[in-house]
Amino acid sequence: MPDTEKTDKIVAPIAPQGASAAPVAASPAEPTEPAFDTEEYERLLDMYDVSFRNFAEGEVVRGVVLRVSESEVIVDVGYKSEGVIALEEFRDETGQIVVKTGDSVDVLIEKTEDREGYVVLSKEKAEKMKVWDDVERAYQERRVVVGRVIERVKGGLAVDIGVRAFLPGSQVDVRPVRNLDALKGQELRMRVIKVNKKRGNIVLSRKAVLEEENAERKTQTLETLEEGKVLTGTVKNITEYGAFVDLGGIDGLLHITDMSWGRINHPSEVINVGDELRVVVLKFDRETERVSLGMKQLLADPWTTATIKYPVSVRVKGKVVSLTDYGAFVELEQGVEGLIHVSEMSWSKKVKHPSKLLTVGQEVECQVLGLDQEAHRISLGLKQVESNPWEQLAEKYPIGSKINGKVRNLTEFGAFVEVEEGIDGLIHISDLSWTKRVKHPSEILKKGDTVEAVVLNIDAENQRLSLGLKQLATDVWDDYFSHHKAGDIVEGKIVRLTTFGAFVELAEGVEGLVHVSELDEKRIERPEEHFKPGDVFPMKIIKVQEGEKKIGLSIRAVKSDEFQKDFQTYRESTGSERSTLGDVFRAAQAAAAAKDKQGEEEE
């Protein structure tokens, strides 16, 4: 038994009826009186019985802490003996003892008396019973309870509301929550939607509380919401195309293009879930309750001053923020970007892709080539900050000068020769030879050959350099024209036949055309039936076009000239000026007959 003060009453024994009582010493002067009042004794017994009559196992009563030892706490609950509770029930989460002598505590009577005569009490069970009562009242009264998330369990969360309760995943929020583990340790406001004390089952819903709160906030927000109004909201969710912002019971969409005047690859670069943002309502549809928000609109548009800051031809510095197949985007300031087209990156190099010269994040200096404020476009040039080698080319290589270069490429129309690093000149197929008819440049040149050529033309603006190979030698046409003119009789060899005539080689590299009408006095429909390549004829030059290097020839004219010569000789031999062409023909026929007869006689 514990050391507690108890009042001992001395009661005289009552002798049985018929027996003599033991002698008692008494003062002879005072009469003998009983040691206590019988009625008072009965009243005390009644009070003693009443004080313990209402105590029962499983009942919660209030007691006073009498003593705190190293392992237990002694509590007086007004019973005939004290109660004892393990000290561990009075430790908080940090392990500290939270009770002291004189404290009043609610305890559960588990047993009215154990082997040692103590009343078996429990503080924890008393608290749980009290909590269960509160939970049942909260369920009946639809009151909100506050609990702390303990851990994630199958299907939801375990929550401590004084006793362990279950919060289903579907009841955590008005929207599905992907990461329930993130709520661990948080205190939530919830409503009890199911309770079963016998089974120890409590089901909670946070969604119900949020829906009610959102409904109230939504009503208030809708009353004041209008386009152009500036509000403060909380970021609830982030997607690739933007973020949803809670404006107070209603969500608005903040699109990625309305977050900043500058370039943003993903909304998470500028905002995070839970951030409070100051936004402006761009569009509001009251029927569908859709709200479009803007954040950059609260700041000045940098393009309004772009024409002042970036006039054409000024040099600027910026950072490369993106590379594409056709160029590089350069950020001049937040919200203002310009494009360096791939054609504006180098004077001499043929840039196949911007990545060959630039990298993302690189600081570059460039020149403003053009600006369209309405379209928010700036054209930039990288090569313009360097000297143009094409402008110096004319000074280094004047027209008519000779250069040496390496053949870099052959095409059907000519050969490209590298004059300097990044500068190529074209030798057109027509400028390869004076005399040879070249069908493909590979007949004369090979890739990698070092050749000498003559500068024919320089177009610095269009970056074109024309070269010639045949110009290194004398033009055979000029030489031929210097020695021949229209009316001359020349000898030519047929090299090609066509339906309209025959091409004749007059000298090496010099050709002329005998039109079909000039082949013979008779009309010839098919020249190949009367002539063949390799035939040599005397012919007359009837037309000369030096600029176009064309010569017109006639075989028929030569024959006509010979006939006229013979006719004149006949006239002179007969001494008659009145001879006709018939006389000439007849004389010619008689001479031919006489010749034939002489031949027969000789045989």
Side-chain angles (χ1 to χ4, degrees), residues 9-14 35-36 41:
K9 296 181 179 292
I10 301 175
V11 181
I14 300 175
F36 60 88
Y41 179 71

Side-chain angles (χ1 to χ4, degrees), residues 8 15 72 168 229 254 266 355 453 502 587:
D8 294 331
E72 56 191 15
K229 187 173 184 179
L254 175 61
H266 194 274
S355 59

Side-chain angles (χ1 to χ4, degrees), residues 152 169 172-173 175-183 237-239:
R152 180 177 179 176
V172 174
D173 206 331
R175 285 192 175 91
V177 179
R178 296 180 180 179
N179 186 15
L180 292 176
D181 292 323
L183 297 174
N237 190 25
I238 293 177
T239 67

